[in-house]
Amino acid sequence: MRLTVNGLARDIDADPEMPLLWALRDVLGLTGTKFGCGVAACGACTVHIDGEAVRACQVPLGEVWGEVTTIEGLGTDGSLSILQAAWVAQQAAQCGYCQPGQIMQAAALLAVVPDPTDDDIDAAMAGNLCRCGTYPRIRAAIRQAAADLREAG
Amino acid sequence: MGRARRITRRAFLVATAAVAGGVGFGVWKAREVPANPLAPDAGVSLNPWLIVDGGGVTVVVPRAEMGQGVRTTLAALVAEELDADFAAIRVIHGPPAQAYFNGALMEAGLPMPNFALSDRQRWIGAQMAALPKVLSLQVTGGSTSTVDAFEKMRLAGATARETFKLAAAARAGADTAQLATENGAVLMPDGTRLTYVELAADAARIEPPEVMLRDPGQWRLLGRALPRTDMAEKVTGSATRRWRCRGWSG
């Protein structure tokens, strides 16, 4: 089947029942999206489908309804997005395993709410767990990114 | 920090080498200096923790990064003494090798907390440090990474720094006492800068001198919050995770 992933059309030869996460990581080699729990309870596998944050471990390939964006589509090591740059500036990550999912969830929030309050952030990010406990720095990074994005217009 | 120490290009001299009650061969194995496993295609390696090539300074941090920040802390140990530009330093994990044995494992394995160890117990731990060395135990865990690296990686940086100064002195006919180091370069008496990259080939041919570690009062990096060297790769998802390892490629 054919999916659009990070703006590119990709042909994927796999079972339509295969979770999108498996296809991204093992078929397409896009390993920035992480496997955490496998039951949509942690948020590590968060990607966008048509801009909406979804758990890639729970979306079968055959049911993908739109364009997929992964953390690789947001920015690269040499060219960070404003959101990722804010994450670096706030030194948000410790082990970093949940952070691609956190960042994708935050990107979906900021696309809808350009100036989120702490309550908005907490509500939007509640499904993304971080065992290192970096929540205060994640919140600071989102607030900084919101300001930077508004400034960038 | 008083004692003069040296590490050779091929590796590192362990202070406490004798195996208590060991036979001659055991003592020899424990004293033997592990070989430097680094053989970079380009540039030179002055010791197992350092590669200098056209791209600058690369530090080998032979412990697993798990969020404890070891790729930052251990790199800073080398950078502090080396006077490298910390913002420009690259960090790699390096190959598995005996040179990277964890000498702090045995003290950590004693059945009481570190702060409660007596001098005698610490001495036993130090003697037993030969065991992970002989067995090439390159382990990350038990809060041992910094304890193990605290002297050896600063020595790696200090020895390299002094070797670069010797190389610069030989090139300019100057005395090393007239030279200073700063941001990855040797400062010559006339104010010119010779970068470590420029000096690397010469330095590789020089027998490393004995060095003194700096007094903590002189530290510029250690003891301060530093930006993590691996932050960008963690926010792009490109950081290598252990189940994704595909062998060492430098």
Side-chain angles (χ1 to χ4, degrees):
Chain A
M1 67 205 74
R2 173 164 286 207
L3 293 186
T4 301
V5 181
N6 298 331
L8 296 174
R10 305 293 298 261
D11 287 311
I12 299 173
D13 181 17
D15 189 324
E17 294 293 306
M18 177 187 275
L20 174 61
L21 177 60
W22 271 238
L24 291 173
R25 288 184 57 86
D26 297 345
V27 181
L28 298 180
L30 295 170
T31 50
T33 307
K34 305 304 181 199
F35 172 86
C37 65
V39 294
C42 77
C45 66
T46 303
V47 300
H48 295 178
I49 298 180
D50 281 347
E52 180 192 350
V54 298
R55 310 301 188 221
C57 73
Q58 294 301 305
V59 179
L61 263 185
E63 292 177 26
V64 174
W65 59 88
E67 292 194 13
V68 178
T69 306
T70 69
I71 189 74
E72 288 89 349
L74 218 60
T76 59
D77 287 22
S79 174
L80 297 177
S81 64
I82 287 177
L83 183 54
Q84 289 163 316
W87 238 255
V88 172
Q90 295 294 333
Q91 293 284 299
Q94 285 187 33
C95 90
Y97 195 77
C98 70
Q99 302 294 349
Q102 303 273 6
I103 291 168
M104 295 309 286
Q105 189 73 39
L109 167 68
L110 292 176
V112 180
V113 187
D115 189 12
T117 63
D118 282 349
D119 285 346
D120 293 336
I121 293 172
D122 291 350
M125 304 299 295
N128 290 73
L129 306 185
C130 172
R131 278 186 65 181
C132 299
T134 64
Y135 303 111
R137 292 203 300 275
I138 288 174
R139 190 195 275 168
I142 293 173
R143 296 193 70 118
Q144 178 182 330
D148 293 348
L149 284 164
R150 287 198 304 277
E151 198 170 305
Chain B
M1 297 270 61
R3 286 169 299 165
R5 292 280 204 86
R6 105 198 241 126
I7 53 174
T8 68
R9 184 175 313 123
R10 285 178 59 76
F12 176 68
L13 187 65
V14 176
T16 53
V19 179
V23 294
F25 177 74
V27 173
W28 175 75
K29 281 306 280 182
R31 285 180 187 272
E32 191 183 30
V33 177
N36 182 352
L38 303 175
D41 295 335
V44 301
S45 171
L46 296 183
N47 57 59
W49 294 274
L50 191 65
I51 295 172
V52 179
D53 60 20
V57 171
T58 299
V59 173
V60 174
V61 171
R63 300 287 176 261
E65 169 63 48
M66 313 184 228
Q68 82 279 48
V70 76
R71 284 172 83 95
T72 305
T73 304
L74 267 50
L77 292 172
V78 175
E80 180 69 64
E81 289 283 349
L82 183 59
D83 286 334
D85 177 3
F86 189 69
I89 227 163
R90 291 172 302 173
V91 177
I92 60 173
H93 188 271
Q98 187 193 17
Y100 306 123
F101 74 91
N102 186 339
L105 276 181
M106 302 314 288
E107 191 174 297
L110 293 173
M112 61 282 291
N114 186 284
F115 59 79
L117 293 175
S118 68
D119 286 350
R120 167 91 184 149
Q121 286 161 335
R122 282 188 195 284
W123 183 85
I124 292 170
Q127 302 312 303
M128 289 166 66
L131 193 64
K133 179 184 171 191
V134 172
L135 297 178
S136 298
L137 294 180
Q138 185 178 340
V139 172
T140 307
S143 299
T144 58
S145 294
T146 303
V147 175
D148 168 67
F150 192 56
E151 274 206 2
K152 26 173 115 156
M153 290 187 72
R154 282 187 298 148
L155 276 171
T159 308
R161 180 193 73 226
E162 292 304 313
T163 308
F164 285 128
K165 281 165 74 175
L166 285 172
R171 194 179 283 196
D175 189 289
T176 52
Q178 302 171 279
L179 307 180
T181 48
E182 178 188 274
N183 273 341
V186 179
L187 301 181
M188 306 305 285
D190 65 1
T192 55
R193 290 165 53 90
L194 286 174
T195 67
Y196 294 160
V197 173
E198 294 173 77
L199 295 167
D202 288 357
R205 288 190 288 271
I206 294 173
E207 186 65 22
E210 295 203 351
V211 296
M212 306 279 282
L213 290 176
R214 285 177 174 155
D215 185 89
Q218 298 178 279
W219 288 346
R220 298 161 301 109
L221 300 172
L222 303 180
R224 290 169 173 76
L226 296 169
R228 290 180 183 242
T229 58
D230 54 357
M231 188 56 71
E233 65 192 50
K234 282 178 173 172
V235 303
T236 59
S238 66
T240 303
R241 304 286 167 176
R242 70 177 194 276
W243 46 86
R244 206 151 63 73
C245 290
R246 297 279 187 268
W248 188 61
S249 57

